[in-house]
Amino acid sequence: MTNESFMQRLSLNQITTEQWSLKEAVNGCLRHEIPWISIWRHKIAEVGLKKARRLIQDANMHVSSICRGGMFPATTAKERAERIDDNKRAIEEAAELGADTLVLVCGPSADRDIETGRKQVADAIDQLVPYAKDHGVKLAIEPLHPMFAADRSVINTLDQANTIAKNYSSDEVGVIVDVYHVWWDPQLYAEIERAGEHILGYHVSDWKVPMPDMFKGRAMMGEGVIELHKIRQAVEQAGYDGPIEVEIINQSLWDSDPHQVLDEIKRSYAKYV
Amino acid sequence: MTNESFMQRLSLNQITTEQWSLKEAVNGCLRHEIPWISIWRHKIAEVGLKKARRLIQDANMHVSSICRGGMFPATTAKERAERIDDNKRAIEEAAELGADTLVLVCGPSADRDIETGRKQVADAIDQLVPYAKDHGVKLAIEPLHPMFAADRSVINTLDQANTIAKNYSSDEVGVIVDVYHVWWDPQLYAEIERAGEHILGYHVSDWKVPMPDMFKGRAMMGEGVIELHKIRQAVEQAGYDGPIEVEIINQSLWDSDPHQVLDEIKRSYAKYV
């Protein structure tokens, strides 16, 4: 791949520049020649869906994904139905913004029973598939690092995500490979191969020691221990050649000048990803 | 199991009362009728091995394990040989204190290459087995939570630990099941069953949300999300009926009155473990 075509795959996951509104993030991408953006729903809510669509269309931005659906498990059937409804809104937003992928952060268990939580996730995805398909949106299960098993997602390995996704065609349900969440997994390369065409997204950041914060401590690519080249090669060998999202949740980046952050992202991406 | 016989399995992992010297911890166990203790090497070093042995023998304490050997991966052969030597000292200390189990925290990779780190762990254990056997000490591989993959251990699942341990008899090499490290694992119950007689220890604490600190944030049993009863039942069904170590690494416990901590441990252990 030429350097130029590789740069054409770069996507700014909007959480990386949380201090920016959607409009600012889109303008930042234009200025720094970043062709893709991944949009978070709270940023859509700030401006409203119609205005968000106009912003994207006017800028001719490609939307690699919408973050995020999910958060499925709940104690009562009523609550679980409400979560499904909220995910339908997320699917509509993805369709409206021309994103073919909705990232699912599946949610923690409603109580100590993690197995039930996992079943509720699989059930919810199964309920959502027809609605998503009608809207031309694929559901992308993102396994989250096991340190988030209690508070963000009971789907913690690519094996789990694959096992659910493989019940559907890759037009319906797939997986996100985010290096921060999966780099440690002894089954990583086997599961990337198994995922194959079900890989719907590839997210990069890095794992730095010591970690400043479990949630807001992700590092710029190259600053940590993750074997970024090796994992990307595996993902590409499995057939994925789509956008690569830079998703760095880090308080110190949020406290920085976002233009400098985008400069740094482009350098790190070219060198380390 | 009667309540009394269950209380006879309680072991204080000494890191839980890090503010205490070995002598204070032994006296604390006597006063609170805790029959077992797991001893850390830096606490042995403070008093010297001979005095440590006298303390243990005079108190008629049972030593459930020595923490810890491991930290095997290193860049050069010379460094790796030094790690092996240090583990031989740990084996000698375990034998001297009448502990039949040395807990292995296997160490992080020496560089980004996690696969090589994992091979170095397996190689090092293989080198140590004859020496450990000669001293009547079993090597117990403790898989550490994946959030410690970069800085403490490249062995992050019970599957990995079992795969190494199963190359040896359960008199030689086995595994530690520590709920804090493995509770999230979708393969947990299958791997506990697979471990069988290779289970050499069972450690309890809890995972509380939000986590105050990745390393020093473990909670008292009952305060978090871990299914303690279910996991203990699985471990017992697999054949383990030995001591149960309470290992809570938590700064606020270290800042408390250790006697109150032991009282709380006994209550929580009886109720939630």
Side-chain angles (χ1 to χ4, degrees):
Chain A
M1 194 177 304
T2 64
N3 187 45
E4 203 187 333
S5 65
F6 183 56
M7 294 310 286
Q8 285 304 310
R9 294 175 64 190
L10 175 57
S11 179
L12 175 68
N13 185 297
Q14 203 186 352
I15 199 76
T16 309
T17 52
E18 170 69 9
Q19 65 272 57
W20 263 348
S21 68
L22 180 59
K23 185 175 181 179
E24 289 168 324
V26 166
N27 287 339
C29 286
L30 287 177
R31 175 168 149 188
H32 294 270
E33 298 181 317
I34 295 175
W36 294 86
I37 189 167
S38 165
I39 299 177
W40 279 65
R41 292 185 70 201
H42 65 286
K43 297 291 185 182
I44 300 171
E46 277 174 14
V47 293
L49 185 55
K50 275 191 185 169
K51 195 170 169 195
R53 187 180 57 176
R54 216 165 36 239
L55 276 170
I56 298 297
Q57 285 179 339
D58 290 351
N60 197 25
M61 288 296 296
H62 304 295
V63 182
S64 53
S65 69
I66 298 297
C67 292
R68 52 184 169 63
M71 297 292 156
F72 299 117
T75 310
T76 66
K78 182 170 174 289
E79 286 171 291
R80 290 195 295 278
E82 286 165 3
R83 309 286 176 101
I84 293 285
D85 281 343
D86 182 56
N87 275 272
K88 288 182 176 172
R89 300 299 84 73
I91 288 166
E92 292 160 9
E93 291 172 22
E96 191 77 8
L97 297 182
D100 68 358
T101 302
L102 175 67
V103 174
L104 301 182
V105 172
C106 295
S109 192
D111 58 22
R112 277 194 182 86
D113 179 357
I114 196 168
E115 208 177 313
T116 296
R118 285 167 173 162
K119 275 185 202 136
Q120 290 177 350
V121 167
D123 288 350
I125 290 171
D126 196 61
Q127 283 180 62
L128 278 174
V129 167
Y131 197 82
K133 207 173 176 184
D134 283 350
H135 286 76
V137 174
K138 303 172 201 173
L139 302 174
I141 306 166
E142 179 165 345
L144 255 55
H145 193 285
M147 72 184 175
F148 297 127
D151 58 355
R152 288 194 169 74
S153 180
V154 290
I155 304 300
N156 307 109
T157 62
L158 202 46
D159 172 38
Q160 289 177 279
N162 278 336
T163 298
I164 298 173
K166 290 281 181 171
N167 293 322
Y168 308 94
S169 83
S170 57
D171 281 343
E172 295 168 332
V173 182
V175 302
I176 299 289
V177 178
D178 181 317
V179 297
Y180 185 79
H181 296 303
V182 301
W183 71 275
W184 60 273
D185 187 347
Q187 302 304 321
L188 177 59
Y189 298 97
E191 290 297 331
I192 286 174
E193 194 185 338
R194 178 179 166 220
E197 64 180 8
H198 283 82
I199 299 174
L200 300 181
Y202 182 53
H203 296 185
V204 293
S205 62
D206 214 333
W207 183 289
K208 193 175 171 179
V209 175
M211 172 89 53
D213 182 88
M214 274 169 76
F215 181 56
K216 294 182 284 188
R218 301 191 197 187
M220 188 63 68
M221 297 77 73
E223 289 183 350
V225 301
I226 300 178
E227 295 173 283
L228 290 162
H229 274 301
K230 188 177 173 185
I231 302 175
R232 175 165 69 90
Q233 279 168 7
V235 165
E236 288 174 355
Q237 207 141 22
Y240 184 75
D241 59 3
I244 298 173
E245 291 185 13
V246 174
E247 183 182 30
I248 308 174
I249 301 175
N250 183 306
Q251 186 64 53
S252 76
L253 290 193
W254 295 348
D255 296 336
S256 305
D257 171 7
H259 290 291
Q260 284 180 6
V261 171
L262 294 203
D263 278 337
E264 206 186 336
I265 282 175
K266 289 183 75 175
R267 273 196 305 273
S268 300
Y269 176 83
K271 188 166 178 185
Y272 296 108
V273 175
Chain B
M1 192 178 304
T2 64
N3 188 45
E4 203 187 331
S5 65
F6 182 56
M7 294 311 286
Q8 286 305 309
R9 294 174 65 190
L10 175 56
S11 179
L12 174 69
N13 184 298
Q14 202 185 352
I15 199 77
T16 308
T17 53
E18 170 69 8
Q19 64 273 57
W20 263 347
S21 68
L22 179 59
K23 186 175 179 177
E24 289 168 325
V26 166
N27 287 339
C29 286
L30 287 177
R31 175 167 149 189
H32 294 270
E33 299 181 316
I34 295 175
W36 294 86
I37 189 168
S38 164
I39 299 177
W40 280 65
R41 292 185 72 201
H42 65 286
K43 297 291 185 182
I44 300 172
E46 277 174 14
V47 293
L49 185 55
K50 274 191 187 170
K51 196 170 168 195
R53 186 180 57 177
R54 216 166 33 241
L55 276 169
I56 297 296
Q57 285 179 339
D58 289 352
N60 196 26
M61 288 295 295
H62 304 295
V63 183
S64 52
S65 69
I66 298 297
C67 293
R68 51 183 169 64
M71 297 293 155
F72 298 118
T75 309
T76 65
K78 182 170 174 289
E79 286 171 290
R80 290 195 293 279
E82 285 165 5
R83 309 285 176 101
I84 293 285
D85 280 344
D86 182 56
N87 275 274
K88 287 183 176 172
R89 299 299 82 75
I91 289 166
E92 292 160 8
E93 291 172 23
E96 191 76 8
L97 298 182
D100 68 358
T101 302
L102 175 66
V103 174
L104 300 182
V105 172
C106 294
S109 191
D111 58 23
R112 276 194 182 86
D113 179 357
I114 196 168
E115 208 178 313
T116 295
R118 285 167 173 163
K119 276 187 200 134
Q120 290 176 352
V121 167
D123 288 349
I125 290 171
D126 196 61
Q127 283 178 62
L128 278 175
V129 167
Y131 196 82
K133 207 173 177 183
D134 283 350
H135 286 76
V137 174
K138 301 172 202 173
L139 302 174
I141 305 167
E142 179 165 343
L144 256 56
H145 194 286
M147 73 183 174
F148 298 127
D151 58 354
R152 287 193 169 76
S153 180
V154 290
I155 305 298
N156 308 107
T157 63
L158 202 46
D159 172 38
Q160 289 177 279
N162 277 336
T163 297
I164 298 173
K166 290 282 181 170
N167 293 322
Y168 309 93
S169 82
S170 57
D171 282 343
E172 295 168 332
V173 182
V175 302
I176 299 288
V177 178
D178 181 317
V179 296
Y180 184 79
H181 296 303
V182 301
W183 71 275
W184 61 274
D185 188 346
Q187 302 304 320
L188 177 59
Y189 298 98
E191 290 296 331
I192 286 174
E193 194 184 339
R194 178 180 166 218
E197 65 180 6
H198 282 83
I199 299 174
L200 300 181
Y202 182 53
H203 296 185
V204 294
S205 62
D206 213 334
W207 183 290
K208 192 175 171 179
V209 176
M211 171 90 54
D213 181 89
M214 274 169 76
F215 181 56
K216 294 182 284 189
R218 301 191 198 187
M220 188 64 67
M221 296 78 70
E223 290 184 349
V225 300
I226 300 178
E227 293 172 284
L228 290 162
H229 275 300
K230 188 177 174 186
I231 301 176
R232 174 163 72 88
Q233 278 168 6
V235 164
E236 288 173 356
Q237 206 141 21
Y240 184 75
D241 60 2
I244 298 173
E245 291 184 14
V246 174
E247 184 181 29
I248 308 175
I249 301 176
N250 184 305
Q251 186 63 53
S252 77
L253 290 193
W254 296 348
D255 295 337
S256 304
D257 171 8
H259 289 291
Q260 284 180 5
V261 172
L262 294 203
D263 277 338
E264 207 185 334
I265 282 175
K266 288 183 75 175
R267 273 196 304 273
S268 301
Y269 176 84
K271 187 165 179 186
Y272 296 108
V273 175

